[in-house]
Amino acid sequence: MFTRIRRLSNRFFNNSRTVNNEPLNKVSLIVIILVDIFILINVFTGLNNISEWHLSPTQAYPCYSEWNIYKTQTTKNKDYEFLRSSLPYGSNEQKIQQRYQDAEIGHLGKVSEICLNYGESKDKLNNPQNQKIITTINQTQDKISRLEQANATIRQQYDSTLLEKIAGQSSGNSINQVRAEKAKQELTQNNQKIANLKQEIANLQNQLLTKPESVNFLSFVKDETKFNQVEQGYKDASFWYPSIQLVFQAIFLIPLILMALLVNNFSQRKGYGLIGLISWHLLVIFLIPLILKIFEFLQIGVIFKFLFDIISFLFGGLVFLISYVYILLIPLVGFGMIKFFQTVVFNHKIQAANRIQKSRCIRCAKKIRPQDSHCPHCGYYQYVECHNCHNLTYKELPYCHHCGADQNSPNLEVN
């Protein structure tokens, strides 16, 4: 196994830095590395773009996040806070329903109909009357903040004035602008003003909550059936989205891989060394992102979910066992891929048979004459002695072309 891996790695590096079995010079090697980097960057850019072609769960269910936050809140005043957060800062902003629908432009998939209705109800909140209520509440809250800041200053001076009075210091020598009696009076007045302003805010909040559009919107978000449909749809979309992304990325990469493979095989048959080198580099560049995306999918995709559910069912919270499964599974998959490419895609015996049929060198695939024992291009010896008739027959072919003896069975005699 290790000998085969070493042979494959040697072949990989030999194909990556030689043209017609001659090593590339340093300048050419630098140029092809720069070209590889440029192409690799564009491949990853294309993968990122095509992976975003289908609507993401957040785009397909844009209302789920804030709706879920509202459902999980336990604060007393959450209805008003939710209405306030649902109102944009200005009336000229784009409609929320339209913003949801715009996500479909240039993408596959549809936005949830419930979320579109959610956006429509939310847009109805954005009218001049409600904006005026929110503005008034904000201005009133600013007044309360200023009064509370004034009270803090007065309390500080009041405490200092009391200390001066206890110490017997005259009012003329005091460093404070407010006397104790006056400070207490101002504190009482400010507290009354704050209470009145808070009552105004409470009235405005109730006014906003009792508006027909507010009642309809809150009734919509409190509908458990609609929320459960959105939640289930979002979870299903999140489950399948990595698989959908991998499919689209494979659709982007597989034609490039097949094209590079065909060009490489064609250039090998025709002996076009430079084209063969470039197509080999392209093949490697296109395979690298595909392998990385497959490994990424294994960490978050359907397979991960399947293994997670099985291990959670069998072993409870021992989720780290998934890592053990991957550690055992991935090498097996890797060895299987190596075996497949070695025996099917890059089978040297199949390549040798095709080259012999076309009068080409078994090793470098250059055109040679039938009577040439050695390749004039790479010097490779084309024949081997048959163990049965002792005549010369082609290397890598299973039978002798003189006596028909099986070259893989040295003890077999053919009569």
Side-chain angles (χ1 to χ4, degrees), residues 380-398:
Y380 186 73
Y381 187 56
Q382 308 293 306
Y383 300 101
V384 66
E385 182 180 327
C386 173
H387 61 82
N388 184 58
C389 67
H390 302 291
N391 288 315
L392 294 179
T393 186
Y394 290 108
K395 287 183 177 179
E396 305 296 346
L397 293 188

Side-chain angles (χ1 to χ4, degrees), residues 61 64 68 226-236:
Y61 297 91
Y64 172 72
N68 185 54
K226 289 186 175 64
F227 175 75
N228 291 336
Q229 291 177 3
V230 170
E231 185 177 39
Q232 187 60 44
Y234 180 84
K235 289 180 178 179
D236 291 341

